[in-house]
Amino acid sequence: MNKTNHFTSFPEHMHFLTHLREDLDVIEGFSQSIREAGGWKAETELDLNAAMPKPQYAMNPSTCYHCYEGLQDETIDGDGIAVSAISKCHRFESRNHSDFGRLLDFSMREFIFVGKPDFVKQNRLKALEALQELAREWEVDCYMEIANDPFFTNDFQVKASFQRNQEMKYELRLTVPYLNKSIACSSVNFHSNTFGNAFNIKAGKRSAVTGCVGFGIERWVLAFLAQFGMDEQQWPARFREQYEAWKEKSGIG
């Protein structure tokens, strides 16, 4: 995450992991303080700096980072590669965690492109077209828009404007009728050579460029069911066909 500049670009989203210090007196003191308070209570003051060491781990915030780390110091053959991956992601979004559209822990399916600029740009364009075709097939109420990442640092305007002006990020937003709003369910991104430089990934003699298309699985489910309900007979015909084919292939009754 240090190599991706995640600590400086998205510090507000970080979930750090820590534990009690490996000291019997600290562990016993912590236990006694909870016992005296009558159990864990949010309002009880605890000296966490004394009880816990500096975090050595953080929860995974993104799926594609692992792809770039796996390609570190590699030279990509040909024009480029496409990778499919899925993982659990974790992002803290404060008061935005007020409904099912914002989860602390969610599943992200990504298709990642790494290679020469033309290869990544062409596949990103195909991804945009395929995503819009999928939305038409499934008859979901949605719209595509140019977007930017929610930078929180004081250089927000510079980063956000650059992303929008270069059309580096598109979001497919699906409506959620009962919430009377839309939520971003998929994004199509172009990162230029940011991650190629960070992980020393080469495409030919130059740093590789990267792009990805991501699907927030739980958000897609939420928006789809909010629009069409739980009765499968009311779902769009093309979606039902694909759903039944998937169940048969997966052996699900």
Side-chain angles (χ1 to χ4, degrees), residues 172-201:
L172 182 71
R173 301 187 66 89
L174 274 64
T175 59
V176 183
Y178 79 95
L179 293 178
N180 196 31
K181 69 175 187 178
S182 67
I183 55 176
C185 293
S186 284
S187 64
V188 183
N189 309 285
F190 179 68
H191 314 121
S192 189
N193 57 8
T194 299
F195 297 121
N197 288 335
F199 291 95
N200 190 34
I201 308 169

Side-chain angles (χ1 to χ4, degrees), residues 45-74:
E45 292 189 9
L46 296 171
D47 188 351
L48 298 182
N49 286 325
M52 299 180 183
K54 179 181 178 180
Q56 297 297 311
Y57 304 97
M59 302 292 279
N60 168 43
S62 178
T63 299
C64 62
Y65 287 176
H66 303 284
C67 175
Y68 310 138
E69 184 184 28
L71 292 171
Q72 182 166 301
D73 299 326
E74 297 282 347

